[in-house]
């Protein structure tokens, strides 16, 4: 006797352990359950960050794990402060140091360009341009001299002078 489970039955077995609302959009976040986290009631931009250092390259481990390093591969130290004074006071008065629901302000942000690397790239680019310009000038001078010699030889041949 073969065991056969229809695809619809398999999907029903994999359904989440909570009920979905009847008259709701299946793509809406309300179908994700009654989970509440402390960060859901705080607006995304409820703090302000100012840079306190230069942009620097992330370590290879940070590039894989740190969210601020994943986009550009660089990080810049920042000092962030809460915009809402009440929220800032509540965060200062937390009793536990490592609370799972606590929101910590970022200490780094991603940055697209590291100044020292960009300076080195610029120097290399300008040096390459300078070298190509020098080679081009040398080529033009050599070609002009060659053409002048060729014209002089033709002229000498026309008038019968040996060169």
């Amino acid at each position: 006797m073969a065991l056969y489970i229809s695809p619809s039955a398999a999907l029903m077995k994999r359904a989440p352990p909570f009920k979905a609302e009847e008259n709701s959009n299946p793509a809406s976040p309300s179908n994700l359950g009654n989970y509440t986290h402390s960060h859901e009631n705080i607006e995304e931009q409820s703090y302000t960050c100012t840079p306190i250092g230069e942009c620097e390259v992330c370590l290879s481990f940070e590039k894989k794990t740190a969210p601020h390093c994943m986009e550009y591969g660089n990080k810049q130290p920042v000092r962030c402060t809460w915009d809402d004074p009440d929220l800032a006071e509540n965060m200062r008065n937390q009793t536990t140091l490592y609370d799972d629901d606590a929101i910590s302000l970022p200490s780094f942000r991603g940055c697209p360009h590291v100044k020292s690397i960009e300076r080195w790239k610029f120097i290399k680019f300008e040096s390459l341009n300078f070298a190509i310009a020098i080679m081009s000038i040398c080529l033009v001078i050599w070609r002009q001299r060659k053409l002048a010699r060729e014209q002089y030889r033709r002229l000498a041949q026309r008038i019968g002078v040996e060169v």
Side-chain angles (χ1 to χ4, degrees):
M1 174 180 205
L3 181 63
Y4 175 74
I5 299 175
S6 68
S8 62
L11 288 176
M12 291 177 78
K13 287 185 178 185
R14 293 180 148 194
F18 44 81
K19 290 185 178 181
E21 296 176 15
E22 295 294 325
N23 296 332
S24 67
N25 182 2
S28 71
S30 64
N31 288 340
L32 297 176
N34 289 332
Y35 300 110
T36 57
H37 298 287
S38 63
H39 66 276
E40 288 179 352
N41 59 1
I42 297 174
E43 297 174 10
E44 188 156 330
Q45 294 296 330
S46 61
Y47 55 87
T48 305
C49 297
T50 55
I52 57 172
E54 294 291 324
C55 188
E56 54 194 41
V57 178
C58 295
L59 303 173
S60 59
F61 177 72
E62 288 177 322
K63 288 180 183 178
K64 296 174 186 172
T65 58
H68 54 267
C69 289
M70 289 183 184
E71 185 176 0
Y72 298 112
N74 304 321
K75 64 183 178 181
Q76 182 176 24
V78 292
R79 179 174 292 125
C80 298
T81 56
W82 293 104
D83 292 339
D84 183 13
D86 296 333
L87 183 60
E89 188 62 33
N90 289 344
M91 288 307 199
R92 267 190 238 113
N93 292 338
Q94 279 185 341
T95 56
T96 59
L97 185 59
Y98 297 105
D99 187 10
D100 289 338
D101 288 338
I103 300 171
S104 61
L105 291 175
S107 56
F108 289 99
R109 71 174 176 193
C111 55
H113 305 289
V114 177
K115 202 179 263 187
S116 60
I117 292 175
E118 291 298 318
R119 185 179 302 120
W120 177 244
K121 285 181 181 179
F122 176 75
I123 290 171
K124 285 191 335 188
F125 176 74
E126 289 297 323
S127 300
L128 181 66
N129 284 339
F130 183 73
I132 290 173
I134 295 296
M135 289 190 318
S136 298
I137 290 171
C138 291
L139 183 67
V140 166
I141 292 172
W142 172 79
R143 186 170 181 268
Q144 284 178 342
R145 287 182 179 175
K146 181 180 175 186
L147 289 175
R149 275 193 311 263
E150 186 67 29
Q151 285 178 347
Y152 180 72
R153 189 187 59 79
R154 283 185 189 159
L155 181 63
Q157 191 178 23
R158 267 191 199 163
I159 59 174
V161 180
E162 289 194 25
V163 181

